[in-house]
Amino acid sequence: AAVLLVGPALASCGGGSGDAAGGDSVPLSSDPTASTAPPTIYPLTGLPVTDAAVLARPALVAKIDNASGAIPQNGFNSADLVFEEIVNDHITRFAMVFHSVGSDPVGPIRSGRLQDVNLFGMFNKPLFAWSGGNVTVTQAIDDSDLVNMGPSRVNAYYREDTRKQPHNLYSNTTKLWEKALEGWGLPTQLFEYRTPDDTPAGIVANGVKIDFDSYDAEWTWNAMSGLYERKQNGDPHLDKGTDSVITTNNVVILVMDYIIGVSGSPDAQSTGTGEAWVFSGGTFVRGTW
């Protein structure tokens, strides 16, 4: 699993133990791009398939709040990938991508951005769990390959009474998969995966710290666990579902320009090319996306 940070940089997260949801599958799609040979690994993690029924369901992208009233969040350590992207006032927001396992509950869930269309279209028509957006963003989501699974479309959300609005909207992945609307596809393999015996390329590096202006995010390599651990503003960032620090196997930083467009919010320009930093297995490699 990985953490992709889109900011001045982008990150994908996962790994560690999680409050995994059951492997309830949805009917197999008639998607013509679906492979006829059953995969032996989960496409978004590279780990061996343990439940073939899971391969018949779409990826599920959940937009997650990272404001002070939203911490700790549920779902990090169960997600196959987690993106971190800048939104208003240099605050970040996460997009947890679930496929091999799920999280019950997941949240708090917040609104989407125009940048989500290009970033998450790579998952081949994924379900998109979000709280909604302004007219411009909503139209863009509806016109995209993302399957709008917001509260206005499906009855799968609730308010957590121990938190204040807008930081208390939750759902669970089991229910979202069960209520999947038409139009979804199956995710394809994103990366080439190394085997456990492969030594990661690069120079030795203890991790990375990113200044988002409003706060710092830090990923530190733990050689004992073989995972990167997250801190925010110098404090361990916890996954509420597992009551443990957020961890991931890989951290990828994609450097992108941000512009404020018609939506009124900063949006990452993810079409083109740019600098990439890859942290894996306690090493660092510089590349391009």
Side-chain angles (χ1 to χ4, degrees):
V3 172
L4 301 174
L5 306 171
V6 183
L10 161 86
S12 116
C13 180
S17 59
D19 49 337
D24 294 341
S25 63
V26 294
L28 183 63
S29 161
S30 58
D31 182 356
T33 64
S35 173
T36 56
T40 57
I41 61 173
Y42 291 115
L44 304 186
T45 66
L47 297 175
V49 171
T50 57
D51 183 355
V54 166
L55 299 174
R57 68 187 180 193
L60 167 60
V61 180
K63 290 301 298 288
I64 304 297
D65 198 348
N66 195 32
S68 57
I71 300 171
Q73 301 94 336
N74 288 77
F76 272 104
N77 286 344
S78 298
D80 288 0
L81 297 157
V82 176
F83 289 75
E84 182 168 13
E85 55 189 22
I86 294 174
V87 290
N88 309 67
D89 302 321
H90 296 274
I91 294 172
T92 64
R93 190 161 292 172
F94 301 105
M96 299 180 184
V97 184
F98 300 94
H99 182 246
S100 63
V101 295
S103 178
D104 297 343
V106 59
I109 293 174
R110 289 299 298 274
S111 61
R113 294 291 186 271
L114 290 179
Q115 62 194 359
D116 298 338
V117 172
N118 285 339
L119 287 174
F120 310 132
M122 73 177 78
F123 298 112
N124 189 26
K125 304 175 183 177
L127 307 184
F128 189 58
W130 62 319
S131 64
N134 61 36
V135 173
T136 300
V137 175
T138 300
Q139 189 63 57
I141 297 298
D142 286 340
D143 291 342
S144 75
D145 284 341
L146 309 185
V147 180
N148 186 345
M149 293 285 291
S152 65
R153 297 294 186 89
V154 294
N155 181 20
Y157 296 83
Y158 65 93
R159 292 286 180 182
E160 171 58 63
D161 58 13
T162 62
R163 296 193 177 190
K164 296 181 179 180
Q165 292 195 42
H167 314 297
N168 66 345
L169 183 66
Y170 285 78
S171 186
N172 68 70
T173 56
T174 297
K175 182 172 289 188
L176 288 165
W177 272 313
E178 287 175 350
K179 293 180 176 289
L181 299 177
E182 294 182 356
W184 54 266
L186 300 177
T188 57
Q189 185 172 328
L190 291 184
F191 309 104
E192 290 185 25
Y193 299 107
R194 70 172 190 269
T195 69
D197 296 330
D198 291 335
T199 301
I203 61 174
V204 175
N206 291 328
V208 61
K209 184 176 182 179
I210 304 165
D211 181 2
F212 288 109
D213 285 350
S214 291
Y215 39 66
D216 296 331
E218 186 173 355
W219 292 94
T220 303
W221 173 247
N222 184 327
M224 295 293 292
S225 66
L227 297 169
Y228 292 89
E229 299 176 348
R230 181 181 171 91
K231 289 182 178 180
Q232 190 158 295
N233 286 335
D235 296 323
H237 194 165
L238 302 181
D239 183 322
K240 186 178 180 182
T242 59
D243 195 29
S244 59
V245 67
I246 294 167
T247 59
T248 187
N249 304 82
N250 311 283
V251 177
V252 179
I253 299 174
L254 308 181
V255 181
M256 298 180 182
D257 290 331
Y258 275 73
I259 65 169
I260 297 178
V262 293
S263 69
S265 299
D267 287 301
Q269 305 304 292
S270 61
T271 300
T273 188
E275 188 174 2
W277 294 12
V278 180
F279 296 83
S280 186
T283 68
F284 162 67
V285 172
R286 188 189 302 268
T288 58
W289 58 267

